[in-house]
Each structure stands twice: as structure tokens, then as C-alpha cells.
Short mmCIF file of all heavy atoms in Angstrom, two decimals:
data_model
loop_
_atom_site.label_atom_id
_atom_site.label_comp_id
_atom_site.label_asym_id
_atom_site.label_seq_id
_atom_site.Cartn_x
_atom_site.Cartn_y
_atom_site.Cartn_z
N GLN A 1 15.97 -8.57 -11.09
CA GLN A 1 15.87 -8.26 -12.49
C GLN A 1 16.18 -6.60 -12.77
O GLN A 1 16.76 -6.37 -13.74
CB GLN A 1 14.56 -8.52 -13.06
CG GLN A 1 14.25 -8.14 -14.54
CD GLN A 1 15.19 -8.80 -15.45
OE1 GLN A 1 15.66 -9.94 -15.20
NE2 GLN A 1 15.35 -8.36 -16.74
N TYR A 2 15.72 -5.81 -11.90
CA TYR A 2 15.72 -4.34 -12.10
C TYR A 2 16.63 -3.66 -11.20
O TYR A 2 17.01 -2.47 -11.71
CB TYR A 2 14.34 -3.86 -11.96
CG TYR A 2 13.27 -4.50 -12.87
CD1 TYR A 2 12.21 -5.22 -12.36
CD2 TYR A 2 13.38 -4.30 -14.30
CE1 TYR A 2 11.23 -5.83 -13.23
CE2 TYR A 2 12.50 -4.87 -15.08
CZ TYR A 2 11.31 -5.62 -14.65
OH TYR A 2 10.48 -6.16 -15.51
N ASN A 3 17.06 -4.12 -10.05
CA ASN A 3 17.78 -3.22 -9.13
C ASN A 3 19.19 -2.91 -9.56
O ASN A 3 19.75 -3.89 -9.95
CB ASN A 3 17.76 -3.73 -7.66
CG ASN A 3 18.05 -2.67 -6.67
OD1 ASN A 3 17.28 -1.77 -6.53
ND2 ASN A 3 19.19 -2.89 -5.92
N ALA A 4 19.61 -1.70 -9.38
CA ALA A 4 21.03 -1.29 -9.85
C ALA A 4 21.20 0.14 -9.43
O ALA A 4 20.33 0.82 -8.71
CB ALA A 4 21.13 -1.35 -11.45
N ASP A 5 22.35 0.65 -9.73
CA ASP A 5 22.62 2.10 -9.57
C ASP A 5 21.37 2.76 -10.18
O ASP A 5 21.06 2.60 -11.44
CB ASP A 5 23.94 2.42 -10.28
CG ASP A 5 24.37 3.88 -10.21
OD1 ASP A 5 23.44 4.81 -10.12
OD2 ASP A 5 25.53 4.03 -10.13
N ILE A 6 20.85 3.70 -9.49
CA ILE A 6 19.55 4.29 -9.92
C ILE A 6 19.74 5.05 -11.30
O ILE A 6 18.74 5.08 -12.18
CB ILE A 6 19.02 5.24 -9.02
CG1 ILE A 6 17.58 5.51 -9.22
CG2 ILE A 6 19.83 6.60 -8.78
CD1 ILE A 6 16.75 6.18 -8.04
N ASP A 7 20.90 5.57 -11.53
CA ASP A 7 21.15 6.21 -12.86
C ASP A 7 21.23 5.22 -14.17
O ASP A 7 21.19 5.66 -15.18
CB ASP A 7 22.48 6.92 -12.81
CG ASP A 7 22.51 8.06 -11.80
OD1 ASP A 7 21.39 8.61 -11.57
OD2 ASP A 7 23.62 8.46 -11.27
N HIS A 8 21.08 3.97 -13.69
CA HIS A 8 21.30 2.91 -14.82
C HIS A 8 19.98 1.97 -14.88
O HIS A 8 19.96 1.08 -15.66
CB HIS A 8 22.50 2.01 -14.64
CG HIS A 8 23.78 2.72 -14.77
ND1 HIS A 8 24.61 2.79 -15.92
CD2 HIS A 8 24.47 3.50 -13.79
CE1 HIS A 8 25.58 3.48 -15.76
NE2 HIS A 8 25.65 3.97 -14.56
N MET A 9 19.02 2.27 -13.93
CA MET A 9 17.84 1.57 -14.05
C MET A 9 16.92 1.81 -15.12
O MET A 9 16.88 2.93 -15.61
CB MET A 9 17.07 1.63 -12.67
CG MET A 9 17.72 0.99 -11.39
SD MET A 9 16.89 1.24 -9.95
CE MET A 9 15.31 0.29 -10.19
N ARG A 10 16.16 0.66 -15.63
CA ARG A 10 15.28 0.83 -16.70
C ARG A 10 13.93 1.18 -16.33
O ARG A 10 12.99 1.33 -17.20
CB ARG A 10 15.50 -0.32 -17.60
CG ARG A 10 16.87 -0.47 -18.11
CD ARG A 10 16.93 -1.66 -19.25
NE ARG A 10 18.32 -1.69 -19.78
CZ ARG A 10 19.22 -2.43 -19.25
NH1 ARG A 10 19.04 -3.21 -18.18
NH2 ARG A 10 20.44 -2.51 -19.78
N VAL A 11 13.67 1.02 -15.04
CA VAL A 11 12.36 1.40 -14.41
C VAL A 11 12.45 2.32 -13.30
O VAL A 11 13.46 2.41 -12.74
CB VAL A 11 11.58 0.03 -13.95
CG1 VAL A 11 11.31 -0.79 -15.14
CG2 VAL A 11 12.51 -0.62 -12.91
N LYS A 12 11.41 3.10 -13.14
CA LYS A 12 11.46 4.12 -12.05
C LYS A 12 10.91 3.47 -10.67
O LYS A 12 9.86 2.94 -10.59
CB LYS A 12 10.67 5.29 -12.44
CG LYS A 12 11.12 5.95 -13.61
CD LYS A 12 10.20 7.15 -13.97
CE LYS A 12 10.67 7.88 -15.29
NZ LYS A 12 9.77 8.95 -15.73
N PRO A 13 11.75 3.50 -9.64
CA PRO A 13 11.41 2.89 -8.41
C PRO A 13 10.11 3.24 -7.84
O PRO A 13 9.09 2.41 -7.63
CB PRO A 13 12.65 3.16 -7.45
CG PRO A 13 13.72 3.47 -8.46
CD PRO A 13 13.07 4.04 -9.55
N GLN A 14 9.83 4.53 -7.53
CA GLN A 14 8.63 5.04 -6.93
C GLN A 14 7.44 4.90 -7.88
O GLN A 14 6.33 4.33 -7.48
CB GLN A 14 8.89 6.37 -6.45
CG GLN A 14 7.68 6.82 -5.46
CD GLN A 14 7.58 6.34 -4.11
OE1 GLN A 14 8.52 6.32 -3.39
NE2 GLN A 14 6.48 5.60 -3.88
N GLN A 15 7.63 5.44 -9.11
CA GLN A 15 6.55 5.53 -9.98
C GLN A 15 6.09 4.21 -10.60
O GLN A 15 4.94 4.03 -10.98
CB GLN A 15 6.87 6.50 -11.14
CG GLN A 15 7.12 7.93 -10.63
CD GLN A 15 8.62 8.22 -10.32
OE1 GLN A 15 9.40 7.28 -9.91
NE2 GLN A 15 9.10 9.48 -10.65
N GLU A 16 7.10 3.40 -10.77
CA GLU A 16 6.72 2.08 -11.54
C GLU A 16 6.77 0.80 -10.56
O GLU A 16 5.71 0.12 -10.50
CB GLU A 16 7.66 1.95 -12.71
CG GLU A 16 7.37 3.05 -13.74
CD GLU A 16 8.28 2.93 -14.91
OE1 GLU A 16 9.52 2.54 -14.77
OE2 GLU A 16 7.89 3.35 -16.02
N LEU A 17 7.88 0.58 -10.01
CA LEU A 17 7.94 -0.57 -9.08
C LEU A 17 6.96 -0.50 -7.89
O LEU A 17 6.48 -1.49 -7.36
CB LEU A 17 9.34 -0.85 -8.59
CG LEU A 17 10.40 -1.32 -9.62
CD1 LEU A 17 11.80 -1.39 -9.06
CD2 LEU A 17 9.93 -2.69 -10.17
N LEU A 18 6.73 0.73 -7.44
CA LEU A 18 5.88 0.86 -6.25
C LEU A 18 4.38 1.46 -6.74
O LEU A 18 3.63 1.88 -5.83
CB LEU A 18 6.48 1.83 -5.33
CG LEU A 18 7.71 1.31 -4.54
CD1 LEU A 18 8.24 2.30 -3.60
CD2 LEU A 18 7.47 0.03 -3.85
N ASN A 19 4.18 1.38 -7.95
CA ASN A 19 2.83 1.75 -8.46
C ASN A 19 1.72 0.95 -7.90
O ASN A 19 1.90 -0.32 -7.95
CB ASN A 19 2.79 1.59 -10.04
CG ASN A 19 1.50 2.07 -10.65
OD1 ASN A 19 0.41 1.49 -10.34
ND2 ASN A 19 1.56 3.18 -11.36
N PRO A 20 0.84 1.49 -7.13
CA PRO A 20 -0.30 0.64 -6.47
C PRO A 20 -0.93 -0.38 -7.40
O PRO A 20 -1.18 -1.50 -7.01
CB PRO A 20 -1.22 1.68 -5.98
CG PRO A 20 -0.40 2.92 -5.79
CD PRO A 20 0.61 2.89 -6.96
N ALA A 21 -1.23 0.01 -8.68
CA ALA A 21 -1.78 -0.89 -9.50
C ALA A 21 -0.95 -2.20 -9.83
O ALA A 21 -1.49 -3.15 -9.98
CB ALA A 21 -2.22 -0.21 -10.83
N TYR A 22 0.38 -1.80 -9.97
CA TYR A 22 1.36 -2.87 -10.33
C TYR A 22 1.40 -3.88 -9.07
O TYR A 22 1.39 -5.08 -9.23
CB TYR A 22 2.64 -2.39 -10.56
CG TYR A 22 3.76 -3.44 -10.95
CD1 TYR A 22 3.66 -4.37 -11.89
CD2 TYR A 22 4.81 -3.38 -9.92
CE1 TYR A 22 4.57 -5.41 -11.99
CE2 TYR A 22 5.80 -4.51 -10.12
CZ TYR A 22 5.66 -5.39 -11.17
OH TYR A 22 6.59 -6.36 -11.28
N LEU A 23 1.46 -3.31 -7.82
CA LEU A 23 1.54 -4.10 -6.72
C LEU A 23 0.32 -4.98 -6.49
O LEU A 23 0.36 -6.10 -6.03
CB LEU A 23 1.98 -3.22 -5.43
CG LEU A 23 3.18 -2.56 -5.42
CD1 LEU A 23 3.42 -1.76 -4.18
CD2 LEU A 23 4.41 -3.59 -5.69
N ALA A 24 -0.82 -4.40 -6.73
CA ALA A 24 -2.04 -5.09 -6.74
C ALA A 24 -2.04 -6.26 -7.59
O ALA A 24 -2.55 -7.40 -7.33
CB ALA A 24 -3.28 -4.13 -6.71
N GLU A 25 -1.67 -6.05 -8.76
CA GLU A 25 -1.57 -7.03 -9.91
C GLU A 25 -0.59 -8.20 -9.44
O GLU A 25 -0.95 -9.37 -9.63
CB GLU A 25 -1.03 -6.28 -11.21
CG GLU A 25 -0.76 -7.33 -12.37
CD GLU A 25 -0.06 -6.69 -13.41
OE1 GLU A 25 -0.40 -5.57 -13.70
OE2 GLU A 25 0.91 -7.25 -14.03
N ARG A 26 0.51 -7.81 -8.89
CA ARG A 26 1.51 -8.85 -8.45
C ARG A 26 0.88 -9.61 -7.23
O ARG A 26 0.99 -10.87 -7.08
CB ARG A 26 2.86 -8.20 -7.86
CG ARG A 26 3.59 -7.58 -9.05
CD ARG A 26 4.18 -8.48 -9.94
NE ARG A 26 5.50 -8.94 -9.53
CZ ARG A 26 6.25 -9.99 -10.01
NH1 ARG A 26 5.60 -10.74 -11.01
NH2 ARG A 26 7.39 -10.32 -9.52
N ALA A 27 0.13 -8.93 -6.35
CA ALA A 27 -0.42 -9.55 -5.15
C ALA A 27 -1.42 -10.66 -5.65
O ALA A 27 -1.54 -11.82 -4.96
CB ALA A 27 -1.08 -8.61 -4.29
N GLN A 28 -2.11 -10.44 -6.78
CA GLN A 28 -3.03 -11.35 -7.30
C GLN A 28 -2.43 -12.73 -7.71
O GLN A 28 -3.10 -13.66 -7.96
CB GLN A 28 -3.89 -10.75 -8.45
CG GLN A 28 -4.82 -9.65 -8.07
CD GLN A 28 -5.77 -10.00 -6.87
OE1 GLN A 28 -6.46 -11.07 -6.98
NE2 GLN A 28 -5.68 -9.24 -5.82
N LEU A 29 -1.17 -12.69 -7.92
CA LEU A 29 -0.46 -13.94 -8.21
C LEU A 29 -0.24 -14.85 -7.00
O LEU A 29 0.11 -15.97 -7.15
CB LEU A 29 0.87 -13.67 -8.86
CG LEU A 29 1.05 -12.81 -10.14
CD1 LEU A 29 2.39 -12.41 -10.51
CD2 LEU A 29 0.28 -13.59 -11.22
N ILE A 30 -0.45 -14.33 -5.84
CA ILE A 30 -0.38 -15.09 -4.64
C ILE A 30 -1.55 -15.98 -4.38
O ILE A 30 -2.71 -15.55 -4.27
CB ILE A 30 -0.10 -14.13 -3.43
CG1 ILE A 30 1.17 -13.45 -3.54
CG2 ILE A 30 -0.10 -14.93 -2.07
CD1 ILE A 30 1.45 -12.38 -2.60
N ASP A 31 -1.27 -17.29 -4.19
CA ASP A 31 -2.21 -18.24 -3.89
C ASP A 31 -2.18 -18.50 -2.44
O ASP A 31 -1.16 -18.94 -1.82
CB ASP A 31 -1.96 -19.59 -4.74
CG ASP A 31 -3.16 -20.56 -4.58
OD1 ASP A 31 -3.73 -20.65 -3.51
OD2 ASP A 31 -3.31 -21.37 -5.57
N ARG A 32 -3.36 -18.25 -1.74
CA ARG A 32 -3.32 -18.39 -0.31
C ARG A 32 -3.16 -19.85 0.16
O ARG A 32 -2.85 -20.09 1.34
CB ARG A 32 -4.62 -17.76 0.33
CG ARG A 32 -4.73 -16.36 0.15
CD ARG A 32 -5.97 -15.79 0.70
NE ARG A 32 -6.19 -14.25 0.50
CZ ARG A 32 -5.74 -13.41 1.46
NH1 ARG A 32 -5.39 -13.88 2.57
NH2 ARG A 32 -5.84 -12.15 1.17
N SER A 33 -3.43 -20.84 -0.78
CA SER A 33 -3.23 -22.16 -0.29
C SER A 33 -1.96 -22.92 -0.71
O SER A 33 -1.80 -24.06 -0.36
CB SER A 33 -4.44 -22.97 -0.88
OG SER A 33 -4.36 -23.00 -2.32
N LYS A 34 -1.11 -22.42 -1.59
CA LYS A 34 0.08 -23.06 -1.90
C LYS A 34 1.10 -22.19 -2.33
O LYS A 34 0.83 -20.96 -2.81
CB LYS A 34 -0.20 -24.07 -3.18
CG LYS A 34 -0.72 -23.38 -4.37
CD LYS A 34 -1.02 -24.46 -5.41
CE LYS A 34 -1.36 -23.96 -6.85
NZ LYS A 34 -1.76 -24.88 -7.83
N ALA A 35 2.35 -22.56 -2.27
CA ALA A 35 3.54 -21.85 -2.63
C ALA A 35 3.76 -21.95 -4.22
O ALA A 35 3.44 -22.82 -4.93
CB ALA A 35 4.75 -22.50 -2.04
N ARG A 36 4.19 -20.78 -4.74
CA ARG A 36 4.55 -20.76 -6.12
C ARG A 36 5.95 -20.12 -6.32
O ARG A 36 6.41 -19.33 -5.52
CB ARG A 36 3.58 -19.75 -6.82
CG ARG A 36 2.18 -20.36 -7.03
CD ARG A 36 1.27 -19.36 -7.78
NE ARG A 36 0.08 -19.87 -8.10
CZ ARG A 36 -0.91 -19.24 -8.82
NH1 ARG A 36 -0.80 -17.95 -9.02
NH2 ARG A 36 -2.07 -19.83 -9.17
#
């Protein structure tokens, strides 16, 4: 959805895609017992 020439990206890689809070939020979507 987001990856492109960095001059054309709409999100900031380090500050937003790698934001610890965002990654923790994404990790909570993982169900340890089944694939999604």
C-alpha cells in the first residue's frame, strides 16, 4: 500500500511505519492459534 520512491510516499518510513506504538498495534492483530 505505501512503499514507493521515498519522495512520493504519503507516510514516513521511520517515524510512522516503524513507530513502536503502530507496530505493537499491528502485532495485536496476530492470533497465535490461527492464520488470518
